[in-house]
Amino acid sequence: MVLVVSEEVREAINARQPVVALESTIIAHGLPRPRNLQVALELEDVVRREGAVPATIAVLDGRPHVGLDKEQLERIANEDGIRKLGHRDLPLAVASGASGATTVSATALLAALAGVRVFATGGLGGVHREWTVTQDESADLGLLARTRITVVCAGVKSILDVPATLQRLETLGVAVAGYRTEHFPGFYLSDSGHPVDWTLQSAREVAEVMRAQDALDGPESALIVANPVPEAEQLDPELHARVLADALHACEEQGITGQAVTPFLLDYLVRNTDGASLSANLAAVRGNVRLAGRIAAAWAGA
């Protein structure tokens, strides 16, 4: 099998010990050096403090890895030419011997193939604004509709069309629950302004839903646990609304379309909030990783 599972992760899976999958795109493409490596090591430490084993996922020299050692993390953080890989890119990366950081869709797929059930990330991709014109939708949604994994996230990126994304998830049959909230979080914001149909109050309740998924033996779809960034650490809502409106206007003026839109908007937010959006992003990721560790422990029966 082409998949490489680290010894620590493999032993934990075989012993039914808690494991949490972590994506690597935030390391290679989401943060500046050397902060990216510091955050990668910090997030793994957060998982360990919750009694779980971290499984950061990436592709190195054409081999998908589930669980990276420090040297491999350093490669992802510091090496030039690290590609950004969605699940559609994996066969191409494997065949060509490429190295790349995995997005939500690629991380979820490789984690599920390795037998890891819980995955922590920042925010999901979703339906893009102006969908009726561009037909642009993240590959995350389709992949999660056919992959049995629990994804702890802070909702979807607020630069996207949030209500359309929630509707699309419903259409695809992907379960969504708020964690101790009745409102779907907005990534940088604790509340996107849209409700959720279900609320779960503890990691143990999440684990019970996971067990019910298996007992029902229904479609192999994901469970999304939407965990809001704490209000004290969210981006100021008024600042967010003003800067996002400016960013969307700048995007239109400069004729930016397709895959270039999301990185442009995210970079605009970082630069025009004096880094406050990045701080909110990291606060959300830390909280999601912490909760994922607790869910993995409850799932493992710890």
Side-chain angles (χ1 to χ4, degrees):
M1 187 177 182
V2 70
L3 192 64
V4 179
V5 182
S6 74
E7 182 178 356
E8 181 185 25
V9 172
R10 184 175 64 253
E11 289 179 352
I13 292 170
N14 290 340
R16 288 192 55 81
Q17 295 175 343
V19 180
V20 174
L22 302 171
E23 65 166 286
S24 50
T25 296
I26 189 173
I27 305 169
H29 302 287
L31 296 167
R33 301 171 184 169
R35 192 177 185 189
N36 57 347
L37 179 60
Q38 295 167 356
V39 169
L41 295 170
E42 176 193 350
L43 295 179
E44 290 208 342
D45 187 56
V46 170
V47 173
R48 293 187 191 282
R49 289 202 301 270
E50 296 300 332
V53 172
T56 302
I57 295 177
V59 178
L60 295 171
D61 305 316
R63 301 294 302 277
H65 287 257
V66 178
L68 304 180
D69 60 28
K70 190 169 185 293
E71 182 179 336
Q72 291 167 331
L73 279 173
E74 289 172 349
R75 278 192 66 186
I76 291 295
N78 298 321
E79 192 172 291
D80 293 329
I82 295 291
R83 299 182 67 117
K84 185 176 181 180
L85 305 176
H87 71 279
R88 70 166 190 171
D89 303 305
L90 293 175
L92 296 157
V94 169
S96 64
S99 295
T102 52
T103 65
V104 167
S105 67
T107 304
L109 176 60
L110 294 173
L113 289 173
V116 179
R117 187 65 179 269
V118 181
F119 165 34
T121 186
L124 296 181
V127 176
H128 289 236
R129 294 168 187 257
E130 304 291 331
W131 183 89
T132 54
V133 176
T134 65
Q135 302 283 290
D136 194 359
E137 173 184 309
S138 171
D140 295 355
L141 305 185
L143 189 282
L144 293 176
R146 56 183 185 273
T147 305
R148 180 62 57 80
I149 194 163
T150 295
V151 184
V152 184
C153 65
V156 299
K157 297 177 179 68
S158 52
I159 60 174
L160 302 173
D161 188 328
V162 178
T165 300
L166 287 169
Q167 181 60 55
R168 185 72 176 129
L169 287 166
E170 180 182 345
T171 299
L172 291 169
V174 178
V176 178
Y179 187 75
R180 297 180 178 173
T181 180
E182 296 179 354
H183 301 279
F184 194 67
F187 191 47
Y188 300 121
L189 305 176
S190 300
D191 183 356
S192 70
H194 300 280
V196 290
D197 293 327
W198 296 93
T199 300
L200 300 172
Q201 299 292 345
S202 68
R204 190 162 299 280
E205 285 187 11
V206 177
E208 286 301 318
V209 175
M210 294 163 64
R211 293 186 181 100
Q213 281 183 309
D214 292 348
L216 287 166
D217 197 25
E220 291 291 313
S221 56
L223 168 64
I224 294 174
V225 179
N227 181 40
V229 62
E231 285 190 22
E233 297 181 279
Q234 71 174 343
L235 183 61
D236 177 76
E238 291 184 5
L239 176 63
H240 172 271
R242 183 174 69 252
V243 174
L244 179 56
D246 292 343
L248 291 167
H249 181 68
C251 193
E252 184 177 354
E253 274 196 334
Q254 296 178 36
I256 295 170
T257 59
Q259 290 186 335
V261 171
T262 295
F264 174 85
L265 293 176
L266 292 176
D267 180 65
Y268 192 101
L269 280 166
V270 171
R271 288 186 288 106
N272 290 275
T273 61
D274 293 325
S277 66
L278 182 58
S279 296
N281 182 356
L282 290 176
V285 172
R286 290 186 189 100
N288 295 340
V289 169
R290 189 176 302 113
L291 176 57
R294 295 170 184 171
I295 292 170
W299 168 248

